[in-house]
Structure formats: structure tokens, C-alpha cells
């Protein structure tokens, strides 16, 4: 385990976190095709980590997540930062994307280890 690896959640833990903290954000990081044609979790925001046509890592991923979090403005001294929960098909991409967010300085980043 790497020091920047996001903590793993199972689907029940993720649902609990989303229910308990209204600031929590569920981000589906699968490709646009997967998001549109396979379906997606209710309430999930779509920010692809790797997408067609080139299948390269989205160079704007961290910036898009920051934008989603209002530039980090959803952090305060009492409650900390809003939880960001990442989901992909298997849990592999969400772990990689979570690592990138943590390395970029975001806190409170999780990923669903079982995927969608």
C-alpha cells in the first residue's frame, strides 16, 4: 500500500457516507461510453479519468474535481473537507485517480474497491 492510496470503501460504506454527509460527492470516473451505456449510480457526477478516443489520462482531472468542490471551498476547520468518493468498473482506475488527487493535495478522498 502506497502512502497516497485512497482508503477503500465497500458500496454500503460509501452509501452510508453519502447519506451522513450532505457535502459528500460521488464521482463516476469511467469513460463516457461506460457512463452513458452501462448506467451509473444515482446522483453520481461524471468526470472521466481515462476516456475515448485516445484512452489517455485526463490532464484536467484534478482541476475538474477541484471545480466540483468549488475550488476547495467546501473545507472548513470544524468539519474538514467534503468527502470525494470515486467509482469505476473494478476499483483499479478509482484507486489510481484517488492517488492523483491526494498527491495534488486533496484530502478526504476515497474509492469504492468493488467498482460499479
Amino acid at each position: 500500500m502506497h502512502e497516497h492510496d485512497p482508503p477503500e470503501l465497500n458500496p454500503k460504506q460509501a452509501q452510508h457516507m453519502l447519506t451522513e454527509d450532505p457535502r459528500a460527492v460521488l464521482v463516476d470516473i469511467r469513460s463516457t461510453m461506460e457512463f452513458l451505456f452501462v448506467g451509473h449510480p444515482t446522483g453520481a457526477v461524471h468526470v472521466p479519468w481515462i476516456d475515448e478516443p485516445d484512452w489517455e489520462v485526463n490532464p484536467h482531472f484534478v482541476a475538474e474535481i477541484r471545480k466540483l468542490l468549488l475550488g476547495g471551498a467546501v473545507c472548513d476547520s470544524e468539519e474538514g473537507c467534503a468527502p470525494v468518493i470515486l467509482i469505476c468498473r473494478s476499483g483499479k482506475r478509482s484507486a489510481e485517480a484517488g492517488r492523483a488527487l491526494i498527491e495534488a493535495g486533496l484530502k478526504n478522498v476515497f474509492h469504492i474497491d468493488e467498482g460499479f
Side-chain angles (χ1 to χ4, degrees), residues 67-103:
K67 229 184 279 179
L68 198 62
L69 295 174
L70 310 172
V74 288
C75 293
D76 63 42
S77 55
E78 286 178 27
E79 295 188 37
C81 299
V84 176
I85 303 170
L86 306 175
I87 188 169
C88 67
R89 190 184 70 236
S90 66
K92 183 177 181 293
R93 285 175 286 180
S94 58
E96 290 172 5
R99 194 173 306 125
L101 292 175
I102 291 168
E103 287 171 355

Side-chain angles (χ1 to χ4, degrees), residues 33-54:
M33 288 300 181
E34 287 172 297
F35 186 80
L36 294 175
F37 296 113
V38 178
H40 50 269
T42 306
V45 181
H46 183 232
V47 180
W49 169 244
I50 297 173
D51 209 357
E52 57 267 330
D54 301 325

Side-chain angles (χ1 to χ4, degrees), residues 5-64:
D5 285 348
E8 296 176 349
L9 299 174
N10 65 39
K12 278 189 173 14
Q13 291 169 315
Q15 183 59 45
H16 179 75
M17 188 177 285
L18 289 161
T19 306
E20 292 297 306
D21 189 340
R23 302 172 312 150
V25 182
L26 178 62
V27 183
D28 188 327
I29 66 158
R30 294 173 303 149
S31 72
T32 301
M33 288 300 181
E34 287 172 297
F35 186 80
L36 294 175
F37 296 113
V38 178
H40 50 269
T42 306
V45 181
H46 183 232
V47 180
W49 169 244
I50 297 173
D51 209 357
E52 57 267 330
D54 301 325
W55 300 107
E56 291 174 0
V57 170
N58 175 357
H60 308 292
F61 183 78
V62 172
E64 289 179 40

